Each structure stands twice: as C-alpha cells, then as structure tokens.
Amino acid sequence: GENVEQHPSTLSVQEGDSAVIKCTYSDSASNYFPWYKQELGKRPQLIIDIRSNVGEKKDQRIAVTLNKTAKHFSLHITETQPEDSAVYFCAATDGGYQKVTFGIGTKLQVIP
Amino acid sequence: SAVISQKPSRDICQRGTSLTIQCQVDSQVTMMFWYRQQPGQSLTLIATANQGSEATYESGFVIDKFPISRPNLTFSTLTVSNMSPEDSSIYLCSVAGAGGTGELFFGEGSRLTVL
C-alpha cells in the first residue's frame, strides 16, 4: 500500500517568512496529491492540490511542487501570517476508489 | 462541495460501553469514509462504507469492533464497541467531492473520551 512520509513534524517561523513542508510517497500509481489544513478543533480542509501531470501549482501565497521521478512533493507558504498557524497534512491517492493516505502532519506556528 | 453533519460532537464514555456516531450528508454519495484521528496524530482510514454492501475495513480494523451501517446514500453510522481508553480519539466522517475531483470533505468530527 501507499506510504506517505512528511517532515518536519513541527515548524516555527516569524510572520512574513516562508514555510516549506516536504512529503514523499512510495506508490508510483499515486496521481493526486492534496494538502489539507486543520485549525485547532476544526475539520481538515483542502487548501491546494496537484495532479501528476503538473509540476507546480500556485494559489496566491501557497504553492505546491511535485517531482514524480523522486516521488516527492512540497508545500510552500510565502509571507506567512498568524492565521496560517495550523496543522498541515499532505496526502496521496491513486484516485481509483479515493483511498487517501495522509502524512503525519506538520504543526506550523507563525510567530507575530 | 458537500455539507456533512456529525453527531455527537463529543462524548465521555465508560470503559466497556459502545457508542454510535451518525453522519449525514446533504447530497447523495456512493462512498463514505470513516477516519480516526488519535490525539496529535494523523488521519487513519478505518473503513469505506458503500450503500447496500458490507463496509470495507482497513488493516488493523475489524467489523466486530467498528460496525458500520449505510442504509441510504446520505447517511452512515459508525459504532465503537466495547470501548477502552485506547479508543479515545476523534472520529471523522468523510465523502469525496462530486465529479471525481479527489477532494475529501469532512464532518466536524466526534471527539470521544473513554474513562
């Protein structure tokens, strides 16, 4: 089955700095890589995703890159703000029956 | 998008008892997923529930411990049976977005504490 590794597990940055979270996956059949944000006490929500036919995707201050050859993908958050503080999960799926494998999560703290 | 309602939102349970969590979706969906999130941990898939058939359980989860019902295309229940403190977790119901986008939508979660 798929195995997704994520690091770091915790990350503290100063407001305005950038944050990078990295993930690797094991199953070459995986073709969809979403990122979820979970604020304290809230449900996880999709913030950005990327498919295997694309190398990079950007949405305002967040971007995701994918290297299929190396089987790794990363989340980049620029100009971080206190409201970016949350736990971020990467995930991978082959999209077949949408079984999603999640990484362990990264707790991001943005220090004002 | 899908709107998912779960209840209870939280409960405190005694060891050895069972609790049923309900999940209601605002649209018809083929598959519903049940996840467990232990304190400070990631999301682990318990089972996939299809309407009209037995749920499919992931490795490490069994039907006797986590029986699931799926009576129609908008509703499902997960029961946590014979609970122990190790079952203290958040249980999340989830569905996939329409059109096969791959996005998952989650309920608010049910936080269970077993004493």
Side-chain angles (χ1 to χ4, degrees):
Chain A
E2 175 65 276
N3 181 48
V4 176
E5 296 188 357
Q6 181 174 350
H7 61 94
S9 56
T10 60
L11 179 60
S12 291
V13 299
Q14 292 290 328
E15 182 177 357
D17 287 351
S18 295
V20 180
I21 302 170
K22 298 182 178 182
C23 291
T24 61
Y25 63 99
S26 62
D27 189 349
S28 57
S30 290
N31 58 17
Y32 176 64
F33 307 93
W35 287 86
Y36 289 84
K37 176 183 180 182
Q38 187 177 31
E39 297 176 1
L40 188 63
K42 302 285 185 64
R43 72 190 80 190
Q45 291 190 297
L46 181 76
I47 56 170
I48 195 168
D49 56 14
I50 192 167
R51 299 191 183 275
S52 58
N53 59 346
V54 176
E56 183 174 359
K57 184 176 179 181
K58 189 174 181 180
D59 183 3
Q60 299 182 337
R61 294 187 298 108
I62 60 173
V64 58
T65 59
L66 171 66
N67 183 326
K68 281 182 58 180
T69 302
K71 294 195 184 73
H72 66 70
F73 56 114
S74 301
L75 177 71
H76 305 253
I77 306 174
T78 59
E79 301 172 21
T80 53
Q81 301 168 4
E83 51 265 38
D84 294 329
S85 296
V87 178
Y88 292 81
F89 294 98
C90 64
T93 176
D94 66 1
Y97 70 105
Q98 290 161 335
K99 177 185 174 181
V100 181
T101 302
F102 288 87
I104 197 168
T106 296
K107 184 175 183 179
L108 173 64
Q109 180 184 22
V110 179
I111 303 166
Chain B
S1 66
V3 177
I4 304 171
S5 302
Q6 258 185 261
K7 56 181 180 181
S9 57
R10 60 179 63 231
D11 208 338
I12 298 174
C13 309
Q14 296 299 316
R15 180 194 298 259
T17 63
S18 299
L19 183 82
T20 296
I21 301 166
Q22 298 179 9
C23 178
Q24 179 74 51
V25 188
D26 68 341
S27 58
Q28 294 184 337
V29 293
T30 305
M31 292 186 287
M32 296 177 74
F33 308 97
W34 286 99
Y35 283 86
R36 182 176 72 182
Q37 186 174 28
Q38 294 177 304
Q41 300 296 312
S42 187
L43 299 147
T44 302
L45 182 64
I46 298 171
T48 301
N50 293 305
Q51 193 266 335
S53 64
E54 291 276 339
T56 303
Y57 289 83
E58 297 301 311
S59 175
F61 298 97
V62 295
I63 188 171
D64 290 346
K65 176 68 176 177
F66 298 101
I68 288 171
S69 78
R70 183 78 202 273
N72 58 53
L73 291 174
T74 63
F75 187 79
S76 178
T77 67
L78 170 76
T79 299
V80 186
S81 302
N82 188 26
M83 287 185 285
S84 66
E86 293 71 37
D87 295 319
S88 297
S89 284
I90 299 173
Y91 293 85
L92 293 140
C93 172
S94 174
V95 302
T101 61
E103 178 178 3
L104 289 178
F105 294 91
F106 291 89
E108 315 95 345
S110 299
R111 181 185 295 269
L112 303 187
T113 302
V114 184
L115 302 177

